[in-house]
Amino acid sequence: MKLIIGLGNPEKQYETTFHNMGFLAVGEAADKLGVKFKKKECEASVAEANLGGEKVILARPVTYMNASGRAVKQLMAKYKVAPEDMVVIYDDYDLPKGKIRIRASGSAGTHNGMRSIIGEIGTGTFPRIRIGIRDEDVKIPIINYVLANIRKEDYPLFADACSAAADAAIAFARGEGIERVMSRYNGAE
């Protein structure tokens, strides 16, 4: 059993904001696996896939970013998933826009969604895929930036980044070790 979680905010107004990179990437993973987000459970929108006989749950918490940990904790309990068997995809202001960075574990950094998850489950030892969103040319406070809409000219860059993040998450869910996934996808755009 594997769990792929994409972080974001559930309302339509946030659909194309930088803070919804996780939602966009997990949606891309669902498309690639041919599944749809059909049910709501554990404060999340959920899709189910089967990869080589193993069940994979794809989830988008609907708790809003800053309370993502509630949904993640519920999903882990319901599906009896250990931290090392889930991967969380989210936006990262500390990385240049469009860059992918995968880690086996780590801190929350400045990300409130990750802070919520680590606080709720009590550990930072789970894989994560970060999608860089920082644009050196934009000089506004981070809180305003992450909730800003992606500029149309940047759509292709972020579409490629979300596709690479989805591929990495699927590789992990298929049983590729996180070290191998990191060596294949780190730095991808």
Side-chain angles (χ1 to χ4, degrees), residues 4-181:
I4 301 173
I5 298 167
L7 300 187
N9 288 309
E11 289 182 34
K12 187 157 182 63
Q13 72 192 49
Y14 299 113
E15 242 173 44
T16 58
T17 64
F18 293 107
H19 230 12
N20 269 32
M21 284 294 130
F23 270 24
L24 296 170
V26 81
E28 180 72 17
D31 288 348
K32 289 176 183 233
L33 294 172
V35 297
K36 302 275 185 217
F37 290 89
K38 291 184 179 176
K39 61 182 179 177
K40 298 248 192 287
E41 61 186 24
C42 303
E43 295 186 82
S45 179
V46 174
E48 289 185 28
N50 189 303
L51 289 173
E54 180 156 28
K55 188 176 196 176
V56 178
I57 301 298
L58 297 93
R60 292 172 168 159
V62 295
T63 54
Y64 291 89
M65 184 64 78
N66 294 353
S68 297
R70 279 197 337 248
V72 172
K73 185 176 183 177
Q74 292 170 37
L75 287 162
M76 290 175 72
K78 177 179 174 111
Y79 291 103
K80 297 173 179 41
V81 174
E84 62 271 12
D85 290 324
M86 76 168 181
V87 62
V88 179
I89 309 172
Y90 62 101
D91 63 286
D92 192 334
Y93 186 80
D94 294 328
L95 292 174
K97 67 181 181 179
K99 291 288 184 196
I100 301 296
R101 181 81 62 222
I102 303 166
R103 294 284 180 257
S105 64
S107 71
T110 59
H111 201 280
N112 288 334
M114 288 298 285
R115 189 173 296 126
S116 172
I117 293 170
I118 291 169
E120 287 284 346
I121 70 170
T123 184
T125 56
F126 56 87
R128 70 272 321 268
I129 301 171
R130 303 177 305 162
I131 301 172
I133 63 168
R134 186 183 69 240
D135 187 333
E136 296 293 343
D137 297 331
V138 178
K139 307 292 185 211
I140 61 174
I142 293 174
I143 189 70
N144 296 338
Y145 182 78
V146 298
L147 295 176
N149 283 304
I150 299 163
R151 294 183 306 206
K152 289 201 185 311
E153 62 266 23
D154 286 335
Y155 278 5
L157 175 68
F158 286 110
D160 289 348
C162 286
S163 181
D167 289 342
I170 291 168
F172 172 77
R174 279 201 167 105
E176 261 186 58
I178 194 62
E179 297 296 327
R180 181 167 162 78
V181 173

